[in-house]
Amino acid sequence: SEDGKELCTEFVLAARTTAREAADVADACALAASNGTFHIAPGAVIPDAVKFVAPNLRCEHILLVPPFLWPELEVVRDLSDDVVLTRLQAVPITRGELQFAAEKGADALMERLESRGADVSNFDRPSVV
């Protein structure tokens, strides 16, 4: 961080209990974060995180946003004098939604998902664009 603290990120993911792929998607997000090829921040996309583990599902990518399904969950928390924990929710998105976010921004996509009542726990849901 700017003040020299180590940043740790915890991903939270809503998934249907029968979705075995959810654990693998969380692993794919962690791998993307650990290899340093993605800037992990709200609005960032981890391309193909779902497609990599479950190529048959409609939502192929992950959009990282502040957790919205759990309003009581702390987004940023000091773990110690030297370490800060941040939490981001991994939202599965389709190819069309990825393009929409690239053109209009992640906030616009999140508004669209909410206004259309998208079930963000369903990795095989229809696109909202």
Side-chain angles (χ1 to χ4, degrees):
S1 69
E2 291 179 10
D3 58 357
K5 291 186 177 185
E6 180 181 348
L7 294 175
C8 299
T9 300
E10 183 176 277
F11 297 114
V12 293
L13 176 67
R16 295 176 178 195
T17 56
T18 59
R20 168 64 187 118
E21 296 88 359
D24 294 336
V25 169
D27 284 345
C29 291
L31 181 61
S34 69
N35 72 19
T37 58
F38 300 99
H39 180 69
I40 304 301
V45 172
I46 301 177
D48 299 326
V50 179
K51 185 178 182 180
F52 177 71
V53 299
N56 57 322
L57 299 177
R58 287 184 231 176
C59 294
E60 300 175 331
H61 316 287
I62 290 293
L63 173 65
L64 300 174
V65 298
F68 60 91
L69 291 177
W70 305 277
E72 69 283 355
L73 189 65
E74 289 180 281
V75 176
V76 177
R77 182 169 61 121
D78 285 328
L79 295 179
S80 70
D81 290 339
D82 301 324
V83 181
V84 174
L85 171 69
T86 63
R87 291 186 173 107
L88 292 171
Q89 184 170 340
V91 176
I93 61 172
T94 66
R95 183 178 306 139
E97 292 163 352
L98 174 65
Q99 184 175 353
F100 182 91
E103 293 171 3
K104 300 191 185 246
D107 290 339
L109 175 58
M110 290 307 297
E111 289 174 15
R112 175 74 62 100
L113 289 166
E114 183 177 1
S115 71
R116 301 279 170 93
D119 179 2
V120 296
S121 69
N122 180 359
F123 288 29
D124 202 31
R125 66 169 172 75
S127 181
V128 297
V129 295

